[in-house]
Amino acid sequence: MSTATHTRPDPAEVDLHVQFEDIEQQNETYLVGMWTFLVTEVMFFGGLFLVYILQRWMHAPQWYVIHEQLDWRLGGLNTMILLFSSFTMACAVHFSQLRKFDKQLQMLGITILCAFGFLVVKFFEWSAKIEHHLVPGAHFEWAHAGASKGVAEMFFVLYFSMTGLHAIHVIIGIIVIGVLATLVAKRHTSVNRDYLPTEMIGLYWHFVDLVWIFLYPLFYLIPKS
């Protein structure tokens, strides 16, 4: 894709909002705003990752026993789904730059389908945990040797908190990409004259995928110490 010649938007065609002096200032503001948002997201997840590191450091042997209750195959399937969705999202940005809107729309549709696929797999995974009473709270049960109930409950507190927060970001991504796809389908000037909105949403989706790339090995592939 890198060898293709992208159609640069003509500054005269791009809608310039009244608060900006020129299109360069407008685009720079978009980029700074998006990266600032992503930094706050990193800090948000960072607090949970710090708690994870401390808990795993204190209870490493027990965490290995507890993590065997997770299905690494389902986690791996979701990893493949999200990696493929990152590819299709990158293709959507590429076709937006080339102003091939029908292909852009197809890539956005596949990305949304992948996101729904991720949530379906996650639904079955969480359902099994609920069935086995592994949801932290009054009904939490733990009868496996090699790990205490308290440590196991903290493991699943972090598991449901971090994967649940990530799932919320996936749902937000579905909504945002869906709105973008609707605008592209209607050939709205806000997305047809400028590829930057597609690129901004692409950055968000890649961030969502990147978070899962960290979550998968941290919870599903804990090595035996």
Side-chain angles (χ1 to χ4, degrees):
M1 287 189 296
S2 59
T3 57
T5 302
H6 296 157
T7 304
R8 296 290 180 186
D10 185 347
E13 294 181 0
V14 178
D15 294 330
L16 178 65
H17 299 292
V18 294
Q19 66 268 37
F20 302 111
E21 294 181 355
D22 51 45
I23 195 62
E24 286 76 17
Q25 185 188 50
Q26 178 172 294
N27 289 343
E28 185 178 354
T29 303
Y30 285 164
L31 289 170
V32 171
M34 190 62 200
W35 281 109
T36 302
F37 168 73
L38 293 179
V39 169
T40 61
E41 288 286 286
V42 170
M43 294 173 66
F44 188 56
F45 276 98
L48 289 171
F49 277 114
L50 179 60
V51 175
Y52 172 96
I53 292 170
L54 291 174
Q55 286 294 321
R56 181 168 164 181
W57 173 67
M58 292 189 297
H59 309 291
Q62 295 188 65
W63 271 49
Y64 174 78
V65 174
I66 300 165
H67 105 285
E68 292 183 319
Q69 300 304 311
L70 304 181
D71 191 333
W72 63 269
R73 291 173 291 265
L74 290 179
L77 175 61
N78 262 346
T79 302
M80 297 302 296
I81 289 173
L82 284 188
L83 285 175
F84 182 68
S85 74
S86 260
F87 171 74
T88 57
M89 190 68 220
C91 289
V93 175
H94 173 69
F95 289 126
S96 177
Q97 292 170 332
L98 297 176
R99 298 192 174 189
K100 296 182 177 179
F101 302 118
D102 288 337
K103 290 186 177 179
Q104 179 191 0
L105 199 57
Q106 291 173 7
M107 292 298 109
L108 292 175
I110 295 173
T111 304
I112 292 174
L113 287 176
C114 288
F116 274 114
F118 176 90
L119 292 177
V120 168
V121 174
K122 186 55 67 181
F123 169 79
F124 284 110
E125 197 178 354
W126 283 345
S127 297
K129 301 296 171 293
I130 294 171
E131 183 180 347
H132 293 102
H133 302 285
L134 292 176
V135 179
H139 301 290
F140 183 81
E141 295 180 4
W142 182 258
H144 301 277
S148 69
K149 181 179 179 181
V151 174
E153 191 165 14
M154 176 55 73
F155 175 93
F156 282 104
V157 165
L158 286 171
Y159 167 76
F160 280 106
S161 298
M162 298 176 79
T163 59
L165 188 60
H166 177 264
I168 291 173
H169 280 72
V170 171
I171 294 171
I172 294 172
I174 291 173
I175 296 171
V176 173
I177 296 172
V179 171
L180 174 65
T182 302
L183 293 174
V184 173
K186 292 182 177 180
R187 300 293 190 266
H188 197 278
T189 56
S190 62
V191 295
N192 280 10
R193 292 180 178 178
D194 189 0
Y195 61 78
L196 209 56
T198 305
E199 190 170 14
M200 295 297 98
I201 294 173
L203 279 175
Y204 172 81
W205 190 249
H206 294 319
F207 170 79
V208 172
D209 293 352
L210 183 63
V211 170
W212 180 257
I213 295 301
F214 280 97
L215 290 179
Y216 176 58
L218 287 177
F219 281 105
Y220 295 81
L221 303 177
I222 295 178
K224 188 175 184 179
S225 57

